[in-house]
Amino acid sequence: MSYCKVLPAVARVRPARVFGARLRSSAAASTQHKEQKSEEAPLAPSCTVLEKPCEVDLIRRKAHTERLRISIDFDNTQEAYKSKDTLELLRSLLVFKLCTFDFLVDKNKELTDLSRKVFGQQLFEKLMKMTFYGQFVAGEDQNAIKPLIEKNQAFGVGSVLDYSVEEDLTQEEAEKKEMDSCVSEAEKESHVDTSARLLQDNECMDHREKKYKAHRQFGDRRGGVISARTYFYADEAKCDHHMETFINCIKASAGSSVDGFSAIKMTALGRPQFLLQFSEVLVKWRRFFNLLASHQGKEGMAILEQKLELEQLQDSLIKLGVGAKSDIENWFTGEKLGSSGTIDLLDWNSLINDTTKISNLLVVPNMESGHLEPLLSKFTDEEEKQMKRMLQRMDVLAKHAVENGVRLMVDAEQTYFQPAISRLTLEMQRIFNREKPNIFNTYQCYLREAYDNVSVDVELSRREGWYFGAKLVRGAYMYQERSRAAEIGYEDPINPDYEATNRMYHKCLEYILEEINHNRMANVMVASHNEDTVKFTLEKMNEMSLSPTENKVYFGQLLGMCDQISFPLGQAGFPVYKYVPYGPVNEVIPYLSRRAQENRGFMKGSQRERSLLWKELKRRLFSGQLLYKPVY
């Protein structure tokens, strides 16, 4: 049983072409599915509107040639912290200050264990709820989080629920789990004898690249990662348990707010071996396309402008020995594929399904000879079953999300998993985003290839007529990715510096905003704590007359951080969401540990949030509102 037989069993909408649907022309799709722009909606009645701006206004609107211009005052602390009582402000100041002390952050695990022994479990939990846990975690279970969810909702801020419990593994345990779950039986057999392995490599029997192999020194994927949860594969029962947890989050999101979000990670749903192997196949086929483009003198062009002449392409494939002439000609006979006389990257991607049908293995092109060769010598029956179960779990979650009116966000992960994660997410979007954007993919803008990935996926959605949904983040794995690339010996996938990442983020964001402006079938969540990025988004929305009430552009921040951005946006009528973790105190300690590490850099790099908190405390003190309680 091959991978290309696995996906159709799950994605029954396109049983014959799951890894690549035949594509309609972009122009036709754009004409057929373009929606009318909705008129600019008025601001919420609760918002103060003045013709002349002044310092205390949250929103300023100016008439500009028949359109309304909206801007947010992020210095207005009264509006920013309207949902917080004074004790909550003091807690924020305390926690943020503690996060700046290196000793406390570096030794947080040892200090946590010591505190538990000294104070006892009950008092320890109370202290945590008064400090770090209370700042960054909503509660222990779905019932406990309801008051905070409802309060945030009353002040215009929605929730992305996430059950943030992690296994407390040692580094050795994590490495063992990773190696066991990322190495196939075929690879284990080939590595039993060193001389046999060397002979195998010399005979070009093993076509796995370094990047897409498991390496013990990077087996603990938690290393260097401070803002993303990590799952390690144990067995299929554990994956089923993760799926049930995600289903509970989806149901809780449906019950807590309208148009809620729920986040999932694909590494929680199955054996990561499949993601590694499928990623390698996708990357190698894309490189092969680039090689053929260079043969036709189209190297260096923008990715979607590389259109291969069909006759030259067929001749090249025949000369390279990729297949017989009759087979290759049959590859280009699908509906409208090659009808224009050219093949672009999206057309090329649709061919992967055909070529991998040659055998029961994932087939990849050898870059030197051009021949198609199996990635591995074999897959066991159990490995094939595990792959199928992973895809079935994804299908179950997507259906639950649609049934409950919740949008599902698939988180980004390491670059050696990400091509497969993105491709599988696209398959879910093809099926479940026909009527509205139910599935969102995540794009990490610290990657050099981020813009290419965004533009290709937007174009695919445009051609096929489904709703594109994206969450844009800067990224969570930079230090780990750079270290792994340098140590193992492959190209660093990360942008050279922070400014380059900022430019990439804004470039991707502007592209999606232009797509929204064009046909209203794209949607984006600006998941950022960067105030300049939020202001950039608002400026572009003003230029394009994109109203916040259209619910095409969302904003997202973590619970307990950047309230001066989230709440003014929410009260101004923008769809904004907090990423809301929850779980028992002891079991979310790993999450809290990362929050402390992240806030160390965040708070040392900027004093803005603390200065705003102090400003609001002083305002309340001198205005006689020190005992202020939010009313909602």
Side-chain angles (χ1 to χ4, degrees):
M1 184 176 181
S2 65
Y3 290 153
C4 46
K5 294 178 181 176
V6 171
L7 268 175
V10 180
R12 288 181 285 276
V13 173
R14 298 176 179 271
R17 306 207 52 79
V18 177
F19 279 164
R22 299 303 191 191
L23 307 177
R24 296 192 296 275
S25 70
S26 179
S30 177
T31 303
Q32 183 175 354
H33 295 282
K34 184 174 182 179
E35 295 181 346
Q36 285 282 76
K37 297 180 182 178
S38 62
E39 295 182 0
E40 192 78 31
L43 292 174
S46 61
C47 299
T48 304
V49 180
L50 299 178
E51 292 184 0
K52 294 183 179 180
C54 60
E55 291 183 0
V56 297
D57 290 336
L58 171 64
I59 304 174
R60 303 193 303 270
R61 303 196 305 173
K62 300 178 183 178
H64 280 280
T65 60
E66 300 182 354
R67 75 167 184 243
L68 295 175
R69 185 175 183 83
I70 302 174
S71 61
I72 309 295
D73 182 4
F74 293 113
D75 291 317
N76 189 327
T77 61
Q78 184 174 359
E79 294 293 341
Y81 301 113
K82 185 187 290 186
S83 66
K84 307 286 189 240
D85 61 35
T86 301
L87 283 177
E88 289 177 297
L89 297 185
L90 290 170
R91 182 187 65 195
S92 296
L93 279 167
L94 172 64
V95 169
F96 290 155
K97 182 61 178 178
L98 291 175
C99 288
T100 64
F101 294 112
D102 291 336
F103 174 78
L104 294 177
V105 176
D106 293 335
K107 301 294 183 181
N108 71 85
K109 188 178 188 319
E110 292 86 347
L111 292 171
T112 298
D113 293 339
L114 178 62
S115 299
R116 191 183 287 111
K117 291 177 182 178
V118 172
F119 297 112
Q121 183 62 35
Q122 190 172 6
L123 184 56
F124 168 76
E125 291 188 7
K126 287 184 178 180
L127 288 172
M128 290 297 293
K129 289 179 179 179
M130 291 170 60
T131 54
F132 290 94
Y133 183 94
Q135 181 71 19
F136 300 119
V137 183
E140 299 204 47
D141 55 40
Q142 295 172 30
N143 291 324
I145 68 176
K146 285 182 179 179
L148 185 141
I149 300 299
E150 291 172 357
K151 183 176 76 168
N152 286 353
Q153 190 71 43
F155 290 94
V157 176
S159 301
V160 181
L161 298 189
D162 180 68
Y163 190 64
S164 296
V165 170
E166 293 185 13
E167 289 183 278
D168 190 11
L169 301 174
T170 65
Q171 181 176 338
E172 292 74 18
E173 289 171 335
E175 290 174 354
K176 184 178 187 306
K177 282 179 177 286
E178 187 75 353
M179 296 305 294
D180 288 343
S181 61
C182 288
V183 180
S184 69
E185 290 301 320
E187 288 176 302
K188 289 177 183 177
E189 290 175 6
S190 69
H191 284 67
V192 171
D193 181 73
T194 305
S195 61
R197 183 175 76 253
L198 291 173
L199 178 61
Q200 184 183 47
D201 289 341
N202 290 334
E203 293 176 353
C204 298
M205 293 294 290
D206 182 3
H207 307 290
R208 302 297 308 279
E209 290 190 7
K210 292 178 180 179
K211 181 174 181 177
Y212 300 100
K213 290 182 179 180
H215 298 270
R216 184 171 293 278
Q217 65 267 45
F218 294 96
D220 187 352
R221 286 183 276 114
R222 299 169 299 182
V225 178
I226 59 175
S227 58
R229 249 181 330 137
T230 303
Y231 290 94
F232 293 96
Y233 180 85
D235 51 40
E236 293 299 294
K238 191 72 172 178
C239 293
D240 287 335
H241 174 72
H242 291 153
M243 181 184 70
E244 291 299 325
T245 298
F246 291 146
I247 289 174
N248 290 335
C249 283
I250 290 170
K251 292 179 178 178
S253 297
S256 63
S257 63
V258 179
D259 292 330
F261 282 92
S262 189
I264 67 169
K265 277 187 179 289
M266 283 203 185
T267 50
L269 298 176
R271 188 181 176 98
Q273 171 201 343
F274 172 43
L275 298 177
L276 280 174
Q277 293 168 347
F278 188 29
S279 290
E280 185 172 2
V281 168
L282 293 171
V283 168
K284 285 189 172 182
W285 274 104
R286 185 159 175 170
R287 286 181 193 160
F288 194 46
F289 176 86
N290 293 336
L291 175 66
L292 295 170
S294 68
H295 288 172
Q296 294 192 16
K298 299 182 179 181
E299 187 176 10
M301 298 174 64
I303 192 69
L304 289 175
E305 293 178 3
Q306 291 182 332
K307 300 181 185 295
L308 307 185
E309 300 299 325
L310 183 57
E311 291 186 5
Q312 294 182 42
L313 172 61
Q314 289 176 325
D315 289 342
S316 295
L317 293 175
I318 293 170
K319 290 178 181 177
L320 287 170
V322 171
K325 182 177 180 180
S326 58
D327 290 335
I328 291 174
E329 289 176 348
N330 288 334
W331 289 352
F332 300 93
T333 58
E335 180 185 354
K336 295 194 176 181
L337 181 62
S339 60
S340 63
T342 60
I343 296 291
D344 66 13
L345 180 64
L346 294 177
D347 299 322
W348 180 257
N349 286 341
S350 72
L351 297 174
I352 294 177
N353 188 43
D354 288 332
T355 54
T356 54
K357 284 181 180 177
I358 293 174
S359 72
N360 285 334
L361 307 175
L362 285 173
V363 179
V364 294
N366 185 305
M367 296 294 286
E368 295 181 1
S369 68
H371 292 291
L372 298 180
E373 298 165 336
L375 190 68
L376 295 171
S377 59
K378 64 181 178 180
F379 295 115
T380 67
D381 290 341
E382 180 56 30
E383 286 171 344
E384 297 239 7
K385 290 177 182 177
Q386 290 167 350
M387 296 167 199
K388 183 175 181 179
R389 291 188 199 115
M390 182 181 193
L391 300 170
Q392 289 171 335
R393 292 181 189 110
M394 292 162 46
D395 189 59
V396 167
L397 289 172
K399 288 177 178 176
H400 270 86
V402 172
E403 290 168 2
N404 285 275
V406 173
R407 287 158 296 186
L408 201 63
M409 290 197 310
V410 181
D411 284 342
E413 303 192 47
Q414 287 88 348
T415 53
Y416 43 90
F417 293 137
Q418 193 55 44
I421 292 172
S422 290
R423 186 59 177 269
L424 295 175
T425 303
L426 278 177
E427 296 305 329
M428 289 199 292
Q429 289 180 316
R430 278 172 154 162
I431 299 167
F432 297 103
N433 283 12
R434 290 287 164 181
E435 302 298 328
K436 61 180 182 178
N438 291 305
I439 310 296
F440 277 61
N441 199 1
T442 301
Y443 297 86
Q444 300 191 102
C445 293
Y446 66 12
L447 297 179
R448 299 173 188 266
E449 62 180 18
Y451 180 77
D452 284 347
N453 293 337
V454 168
S455 59
V456 167
D457 292 351
V458 166
E459 174 64 16
L460 180 62
S461 70
R462 187 185 301 146
R463 291 187 188 185
E464 296 185 345
W466 43 266
Y467 286 82
F468 176 80
K471 178 177 74 169
L472 292 184
V473 299
R474 280 174 169 77
Y477 306 97
M478 183 180 70
Y479 299 111
Q480 183 188 105
E481 292 273 16
R482 279 207 164 127
S483 176
R484 191 177 189 270
E487 180 69 23
I488 296 173
Y490 57 87
E491 184 181 1
D492 183 358
I494 309 297
N495 285 320
D497 52 43
Y498 185 74
E499 286 307 313
T501 294
N502 281 342
R503 290 193 296 272
M504 180 66 77
Y505 194 106
H506 290 180
K507 184 178 181 181
C508 293
L509 176 57
E510 187 170 12
Y511 185 87
I512 299 173
L513 290 174
E514 288 174 352
E515 180 66 15
I516 295 172
N517 193 42
H518 175 66
N519 65 16
R520 294 305 200 267
M521 289 188 71
N523 302 262
V524 64
M525 173 172 278
V526 183
S528 175
H529 294 166
N530 188 304
E531 193 172 305
D532 289 337
T533 292
V534 174
K535 290 178 178 177
F536 173 87
T537 308
L538 297 179
E539 183 64 30
K540 291 299 176 183
M541 291 179 70
N542 279 325
E543 290 176 7
M544 300 175 184
S545 298
L546 292 177
S547 168
T549 58
E550 290 187 62
N551 285 349
K552 296 293 182 183
V553 182
Y554 311 90
F555 296 88
Q557 290 85 37
L558 292 168
L559 181 69
M561 296 175 67
C562 291
D563 288 343
Q564 79 277 9
I565 292 177
S566 305
F567 285 91
L569 285 171
Q571 291 162 49
F574 287 85
V576 58
Y577 294 82
K578 285 291 193 182
Y579 192 94
V580 178
Y582 67 97
V585 175
N586 285 329
E587 297 180 51
V588 297
I589 292 297
Y591 174 85
L592 291 172
S593 174
R594 289 199 310 275
R595 289 283 74 76
Q597 294 179 53
E598 183 172 27
N599 273 302
R600 170 172 56 184
F602 179 79
M603 295 311 298
K604 282 188 174 181
S606 172
Q607 299 295 322
R608 177 164 171 73
E609 187 157 6
R610 279 194 291 167
S611 67
L612 290 174
L613 286 165
W614 277 117
K615 178 181 175 182
E616 176 59 12
L617 277 174
K618 292 176 184 177
R619 188 199 67 78
R620 291 185 185 184
L621 176 63
F622 293 120
S623 64
Q625 295 182 314
L626 199 58
L627 300 180
Y628 168 82
K629 295 286 184 181
V631 179
Y632 56 96

